[in-house]
Amino acid sequence: MYPYPLLQKNIIVFPLFGEQTQWDPCIFDYSNEDFLNVDPRNIDNMNSYNREHLKNSRKTWWLGWYLENRSHILKGTHIQKQGRIYHLGIDIMPTEALSIFNPLNWEVYERGYEAWDGNYGWYIIIRYTLWWTIFYALYGHLSYESLNTQSIIPQGESIGKLGNTSENGNWFLHLHLQIFTGEDIDIWKNRGYCWAEDVPNMKYICPDPNFLVRY
């Protein structure tokens, strides 16, 4: 089941990008009408759009929604053509894209690379254990040179840094964070999006990652 122990205030969750992500985020809604005028596959325009909205919000980081309809942002990708348009993670981007820190202490389950436009690029999956609960977190769109190669990454230590367009699946600069309960993980670990009919079951397979981001 999902890691409910994280709800307890006495469990310390290290901020993913350090102090930058300790405060209220700017919430990005990639299904709003304003965004529909942006070409999602023009990465320079996307980065400019994100930076401008973050600057206007006067906040230090932005967050993109779990289970958001991403039909526009996926335009032209194989994912959109398959009809998998519901976002199974959350997207995070701070003002200064420095190291991503491990929020809890545990072991690396898998490192890998997903090619193709719209995929993860370089990613790490970490297996966490909190008392009786085991769950997994995928950190996607990373840079190869920065990947932590240890089998166990202590809490607060760098997992890696954000990757550029050439190595992150042809995305704008951001972190994709996705949680797995462990059920069917080998099927879903390479799916950052699902079909509409899958949405009701996602709380059992890929639940909302917001519990791992204290804000």
Side-chain angles (χ1 to χ4, degrees), residues 111-151:
R111 292 179 185 84
Y113 177 75
E114 269 199 334
W116 292 20
D117 191 15
N119 281 346
Y120 294 137
W122 291 101
Y123 67 89
I124 288 180
I125 299 176
I126 297 181
R127 179 182 184 269
Y128 297 109
T129 301
L130 284 177
W131 302 333
W132 63 90
T133 304
I134 295 174
F135 68 103
Y136 304 77
L138 181 144
Y139 303 86
H141 309 315
L142 307 181
S143 74
Y144 173 72
E145 290 186 356
S146 72
L147 289 180
N148 191 318
T149 59
Q150 299 176 92
S151 59

Side-chain angles (χ1 to χ4, degrees), residues 29-39 49 53 72:
D29 180 358
Y30 283 120
S31 62
N32 66 56
E33 292 185 5
D34 176 48
F35 177 63
L36 297 180
N37 296 319
V38 180
D39 179 0
Y49 175 89
H53 274 60
H72 179 64

Side-chain angles (χ1 to χ4, degrees), residues 180-191 204-206:
F180 307 88
T181 58
E183 184 175 342
D184 295 329
I185 185 172
D186 288 331
I187 296 174
W188 288 96
K189 68 184 180 182
N190 298 118
R191 295 180 184 174
Y204 305 111
I205 300 171
C206 297

Side-chain angles (χ1 to χ4, degrees), residues 41 59 164:
R41 306 324 300 162
K59 298 192 176 181
N164 59 35

Side-chain angles (χ1 to χ4, degrees), residues 22-60:
Q22 285 183 315
W23 315 110
D24 291 339
C26 169
I27 302 297
F28 270 44
D29 180 358
Y30 283 120
S31 62
N32 66 56
E33 292 185 5
D34 176 48
F35 177 63
L36 297 180
N37 296 319
V38 180
D39 179 0
R41 306 324 300 162
N42 185 321
I43 304 304
D44 288 339
N45 284 355
M46 281 296 302
N47 281 323
S48 295
Y49 175 89
N50 292 338
R51 285 194 298 266
E52 185 66 21
H53 274 60
L54 184 56
K55 179 181 177 181
N56 291 339
S57 74
R58 298 184 179 180
K59 298 192 176 181
T60 60

